[in-house]
Amino acid sequence: MDLETRNERYVYEALSYETHHHPIRLLKVLQGEKGSRICCELFHTHLTTFEKPSEDSDSDSDSLGLAAFGEYNDDFEGDPRYTALSYVWGDHTDTVAIQVCGKELSVTRNLFKFLECHRDTFLRNRSTEPLFWIDAICIDQSNIGERSRQVECMAEVYEKAQNVLIWLGEENEDTSIAFETARKWNGDYQATKRERQACSKTFEGGWWDRLWVVQEAVHARSLLMRCGTLELSWESFDERFELTVSPFSNIGMIVIYRQYFQENSSVATALLKHFGRRKCYDPRDIIFATRSILPALVSVVPDYSLCIADVFTSATRAIISHYKDLNVLCYRSRKAPSRWGLLEARPTPSWVPDWTVEDYAYLKHRLPLKFQDDDRIDDVLSHGDPSILLLKGVPVDQIFCTTAPLGSIFWKGQRTPKVDEIEQLQSWFPECDKKFVAHNTRPDLNLNNIVNNWLQRRGKTTPAFRTIKSLVEEMNGLWRLEGYSFITTQNGHLGFVLGEAKEGDLVFIAYGLGNPLVLRQEDTDESSYRLIGCAIIDELMDEEAFDMVKVGMVDKQTILLR
């Protein structure tokens, strides 16, 4: 091969979706001399060729895909098998050139190290080269349409793979110690300090923090970890390990994910706020990487031509439709900004959670009020503009006065507040005398006294109330109110709202939701509102408001929530 041909860039041949429903490419790493350029071949096939491996088929590390075949050849000799690689891309700007079908293709250095290690160590003395599915090579990453369609069937790729191989990176002293410790670990083994340190370095960060690995591990029939030339079978973890504590807690989380998602349907909202903490290069992947394990998101079709706001909106609508309620509106961040500076030039609707944040506020859960026969959840989603909800319910009150949201406090587990925490509480109720606040926070917090004093200074009297005391007790301390504003309404109700309310905001009780909403009217449209946050107001968290509708005391309304 001459130099000109060797340096020619590899150009992907389009996958044929007309002929096959789920076309894919598979990679074969060719044998070669150590130190020489990595050479590979790509083959076209389709997932319908591969039956999900049977439980009794061989799946050890020596059977990482055996069949060699030509392009578009559906007639496999023997048992067609391939291995799907699960790994971290690494720095996108740090790339190394390999050869694919005689042409040059750049891959990230971490992937190159895997290919090099695999060829130099695991291909020796083999008569055939195993087949791999590796996303960075088997998907034309420059083609947005192809990338979207391949992501849609990615769960099936991992499910039908004979093995899923986890590449943790190059071998070093720590990984050698960690793998050896893992092999001899059991409930009675006492690891040394050095062994625990090595395990922490090997089994934390990197692969363990990635978002995509959850789907890849959950759908895998068989998992094998590889670090350089070291290998460790995943199956042993289920039986031998105490996985809830360091140094194997990250392994334990993956084991739990595999067991949980294979046996249970999942509450999408609860898990999305957890998965949002994991690392990915594109915030849209928070939805696309979890849709195959969260039934509520199955209807969301991956499309990388959509902006982040559209993807998050589609996911939220899918959750509403799946669960037949509006509880997803309660998932609001109490303080954390978006990790991507959401959301481009176009923000999400006020009712769509920012799934990239890591800190969602605690909210006292109430069962959603059921829709009546003529108030279906489908009607809520029926507006022609997908960014608008048709919210049905009852306007019951307005905000009379409010504090600013409570800032960061750290009272959890502490009986006596510190000085800076007292100052934080004083900033929550700025009209209160500082000495009065301090007196009512030491040695025990008396929030009732502080609130009464605050209301009196605002010119509003109120009878002794149980709301504040009972809420704080039920929420296990004031620290859980971080991000909440304290509110009082025109009708004398007291409570909290997650967000920054202001005088005149509407308190609205909606069908399909267990908590009252605080809404703010749009300046340009009297029938349109924005969501400020869900509220905790004991007296308004039952069906009393709808009983008032039945007797004609108040009217049910439909508003546009933007």
Side-chain angles (χ1 to χ4, degrees), residues 115-171:
L115 296 172
E116 184 179 55
C117 179
H118 179 73
R119 182 196 65 181
D120 295 346
T121 303
F122 294 92
L123 283 185
R124 296 297 179 193
N125 302 318
R126 292 187 64 107
S127 58
T128 59
E129 295 93 350
L131 298 170
F132 285 95
W133 187 88
I134 303 175
D135 60 350
I137 301 176
C138 296
I139 299 176
D140 182 357
Q141 299 293 332
S142 65
N143 186 324
I144 292 179
E146 177 179 309
R147 187 154 57 103
S148 299
R149 298 189 76 168
Q150 289 287 288
V151 165
E152 186 176 359
C153 67
M154 195 175 291
E156 191 177 356
V157 170
Y158 282 89
E159 185 179 69
K160 289 190 173 181
Q162 181 71 15
N163 296 274
V164 171
L165 179 61
I166 300 169
W167 170 251
L168 297 181
E170 295 184 89
E171 182 180 345

Side-chain angles (χ1 to χ4, degrees), residues 185 196 237 240-256 259:
W185 184 276
R196 287 184 173 273
F237 296 141
R240 296 191 296 111
F241 282 69
E242 174 57 51
L243 297 169
T244 59
V245 296
S246 179
F248 298 112
S249 56
N250 282 324
I251 296 176
M253 285 305 300
I254 300 297
V255 170
I256 291 171
Q259 295 172 344

Side-chain angles (χ1 to χ4, degrees), residues 8 24 108 135 169-170 176 199 204 236 268 281 304 311 341 382 387 424 467 472 503 526 530 550:
E8 186 178 345
I24 62 170
T108 59
D135 60 350
E170 295 184 89
S176 299
C199 288
E204 292 179 5
S236 60
Y281 290 108
Y304 286 98
V311 173
S382 64
S387 68
Q424 184 61 258
T467 303
V472 171
E503 184 178 350
E526 291 185 357
R530 294 185 60 80
K550 295 177 182 178

Side-chain angles (χ1 to χ4, degrees), residues 245-526:
V245 296
S246 179
F248 298 112
S249 56
N250 282 324
I251 296 176
M253 285 305 300
I254 300 297
V255 170
I256 291 171
Y257 287 152
R258 280 171 59 80
Q259 295 172 344
Y260 183 82
F261 289 117
Q262 290 171 1
E263 298 172 1
N264 301 277
S265 60
S266 310
V267 180
T269 46
L271 290 166
L272 275 177
K273 70 174 184 177
H274 175 72
F275 291 150
R277 305 170 187 173
R278 289 182 165 268
K279 294 179 181 178
C280 57
Y281 290 108
D282 189 324
R284 293 169 292 190
D285 287 340
I286 295 172
I287 306 302
F288 298 157
T290 56
R291 58 181 295 276
S292 70
I293 56 178
L294 301 179
L297 298 180
V298 170
S299 63
V300 180
V301 178
D303 185 351
Y304 286 98
S305 68
L306 298 177
C307 68
I308 302 168
D310 285 342
V311 173
F312 283 13
T313 299
S314 295
T316 306
R317 291 175 64 89
I319 290 170
I320 291 172
S321 178
H322 180 83
Y323 292 111
K324 307 299 182 184
D325 63 42
L326 297 174
N327 278 338
V328 67
L329 271 60
C330 294
Y331 281 80
R332 314 279 293 175
S333 169
R334 60 180 173 181
K335 63 175 183 178
S338 168
R339 287 190 286 152
W340 280 272
L342 274 186
L343 280 167
E344 306 148 335
R346 181 178 164 201
T348 54
S350 64
W351 49 273
V352 173
D354 178 356
W355 298 116
T356 71
V357 299
E358 301 183 22
D359 184 24
Y360 280 83
Y362 171 87
L363 191 65
K364 183 180 178 183
H365 178 70
R366 291 295 180 106
L367 293 175
L369 299 173
K370 294 182 179 180
F371 286 90
Q372 297 178 352
D373 292 339
D374 58 342
D375 297 311
R376 301 171 302 154
I377 193 68
D378 292 342
D379 294 336
V380 177
L381 302 170
S382 64
H383 196 279
D385 184 343
S387 68
I388 296 176
L389 295 182
L390 294 177
L391 207 62
K392 296 188 177 185
V394 182
V396 292
D397 213 334
Q398 285 185 304
I399 302 298
F400 172 76
C401 56
T402 176
T403 67
L406 181 63
S408 297
I409 56 176
F410 305 95
W411 288 5
K412 185 179 181 182
Q414 298 179 7
R415 183 172 180 82
T416 304
K418 295 180 180 178
V419 173
D420 59 339
E421 294 161 350
I422 294 175
E423 293 175 352
Q424 184 61 258
L425 190 62
Q426 290 168 346
S427 71
W428 204 24
F429 299 100
E431 288 84 355
C432 293
D433 180 80
K434 293 184 177 180
K435 291 182 179 179
F436 183 85
V437 173
H439 175 75
N440 282 279
T441 53
R442 288 188 173 183
D444 296 308
L445 174 67
N446 192 329
L447 193 57
N448 279 10
N449 287 349
I450 296 173
V451 170
N452 274 318
N453 182 269
W454 174 73
L455 290 172
Q456 290 170 5
R457 289 173 179 269
R458 295 294 297 266
K460 188 175 181 65
T461 59
T462 181
F465 54 89
R466 59 177 177 80
T467 303
I468 303 302
K469 185 174 186 297
S470 63
L471 282 175
V472 171
E473 288 176 350
E474 289 179 26
M475 295 173 75
N476 193 26
L478 188 64
W479 67 275
R480 283 191 169 178
L481 290 172
E482 183 179 341
Y484 282 89
S485 301
F486 177 77
I487 57 172
T488 182
T489 71
Q490 294 281 9
N491 294 331
H493 297 302
L494 305 169
F496 307 95
V497 60
L498 179 57
E500 193 165 356
K502 70 178 184 180
E503 184 178 350
D505 284 346
L506 180 68
V507 180
F508 190 86
I509 297 180
Y511 286 111
L513 190 63
N515 290 78
L517 298 175
V518 174
L519 309 175
R520 186 167 300 158
Q521 193 173 51
E522 294 274 37
D523 295 333
T524 57
D525 186 353
E526 291 185 357

Side-chain angles (χ1 to χ4, degrees), residues 10-29:
Y10 179 74
V11 178
Y12 283 89
E13 181 179 353
L15 294 169
S16 175
Y17 287 91
E18 294 180 0
T19 307
H20 302 299
H21 184 51
H22 284 158
I24 62 170
R25 300 182 185 92
L26 291 179
L27 178 78
K28 181 195 294 184
V29 182

